[in-house]
């Protein structure tokens, strides 16, 4: 579990790119980490400041889709990217039309350039951007392996879900962000760890 809030999302971006484009692409059989759960908490007003991350998330989804189209074994890797949009007061739908020549300045550079044909994920940057600008209260918008939530995370529910996927396992939890989320993650890591069950959540914090 790699978690970032606000500007603390930079390690999430680096980790997702490293896991998807390097670890999983070059691995044969088991690899560490074998699964990736990524979380980004962002206030609604700051979404436009992170358009570069929207492109990176799209690139990661495309790469995972491409790897799965080439080898069924890649389906063994759990890949999820959860985005929690907070303080979205009366959001309005956004229709975005970006000319091809303006894509680089609007979204930033792609993770990889090249003319190799690849399988693509089931959404584009504009679709994800629109979902972030107008998150639906009480609903989760799923775009491939990307999930857009309106509001703050329920960390207890997230830890319970990950533990159900990986019982009797050690799960790394890395966080970069504010101290309030850090305290909650510390509580949940302790609550869901059980030495007798060989279940452990190892927490690594970087607060600001």
């Amino acid at each position: 579990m790699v978690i970032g809030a606000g500007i603390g999302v930079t390690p999430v971006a680096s980790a997702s790119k490293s896991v998807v484009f390097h670890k999983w692409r070059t691995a044969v059989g088991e690899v560490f980490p074998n699964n990736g759960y990524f979380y980004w908490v962002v206030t609604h007003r700051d979404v436009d400041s992170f358009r570069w991350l929207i492109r990176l998330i799209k690139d990661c989804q495309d790469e995972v889709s491409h790897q799965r189209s080439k080898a069924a074994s890649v389906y063994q890797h759990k890949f999820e990217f959860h985005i929690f949009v907070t303080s979205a007061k009366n959001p309005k739908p956004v229709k975005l039309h970006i000319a091809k020549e303006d894509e680089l300045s609007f979204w930033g550079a792609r993770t990889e350039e090249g003319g190799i044909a690849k399988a693509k994920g089931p959404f584009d940057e504009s679709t994800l951007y629109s979902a972030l600008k107008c998150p639906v209260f009480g609903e989760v918008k799923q775009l491939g392996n990307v999930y857009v939530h309106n509001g703050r995370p329920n960390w207890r529910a997230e830890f319970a879900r990950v533990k159900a996927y990986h019982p009797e396992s050690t799960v790394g939890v890395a966080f970069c962000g504010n101290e309030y989320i850090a305290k909650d993650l510390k509580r949940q890591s302790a609550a869901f760890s059980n030495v007798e069950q060989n279940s452990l959540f190892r927490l690594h914090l970087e607060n600001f």
Side-chain angles (χ1 to χ4, degrees), residues 1-197:
M1 301 172 71
V2 185
I3 305 161
I7 59 174
V9 77
T10 303
V12 178
S14 298
S16 60
K17 183 163 60 174
S18 175
V19 169
V20 171
F21 283 91
H22 300 288
K23 295 281 189 177
W24 290 357
R25 178 188 283 180
T26 59
V28 177
E30 290 291 317
V31 62
F32 181 81
N34 210 36
N35 304 282
Y37 300 90
F38 302 96
Y39 299 86
W40 174 32
V41 184
V42 59
T43 60
H44 186 259
R45 68 175 181 272
D46 290 340
V47 168
D48 278 288
S49 299
F50 293 97
R51 294 196 299 257
W52 61 271
L53 183 59
I54 292 174
R55 166 146 282 182
L56 173 61
I57 295 170
K58 163 62 174 169
D59 287 347
C60 287
Q61 175 69 82
D62 285 351
E63 178 63 22
V64 169
S65 297
H66 179 68
Q67 290 177 20
R68 288 174 174 173
S69 73
K70 294 293 185 180
S73 60
V74 180
Y75 280 95
Q76 298 175 7
H77 300 316
K78 291 284 294 183
F79 171 74
E80 295 182 4
F81 208 118
H82 293 266
I83 307 170
F84 293 87
V85 184
T86 63
S87 302
K89 300 178 180 178
N90 302 315
K92 298 180 180 180
V94 174
K95 291 186 178 180
L96 194 63
H97 299 285
I98 305 297
K100 192 169 185 62
E101 60 270 20
D102 296 326
E103 286 188 357
L104 181 60
S105 61
F106 192 84
W107 300 116
R110 291 203 172 279
T111 304
E112 291 185 331
E113 299 292 346
I116 301 175
K118 291 185 174 182
K120 300 290 185 181
F123 65 90
D124 59 17
E125 290 91 343
S126 296
T127 304
L128 179 53
Y129 175 83
S130 297
L132 296 178
K133 294 293 285 184
C134 191
V136 179
F137 183 77
E139 296 183 14
V140 179
K141 178 73 172 180
Q142 181 177 355
L143 301 169
N145 298 111
V146 179
Y147 303 82
V148 178
H149 309 254
N150 184 331
R152 297 177 181 178
N154 180 339
W155 291 117
R156 183 173 182 81
E158 290 302 314
F159 274 70
R161 192 172 57 82
V162 172
K163 185 171 183 176
Y165 283 141
H166 309 288
E168 299 184 1
S169 299
T170 297
V171 178
V173 182
F175 173 67
C176 183
N178 68 66
E179 61 178 332
Y180 302 104
I181 296 177
K183 289 179 180 179
D184 198 358
L185 295 176
K186 188 175 183 179
R187 284 194 296 269
Q188 302 309 328
S189 294
F192 284 92
S193 293
N194 189 315
V195 176
E196 294 180 355
Q197 296 176 356

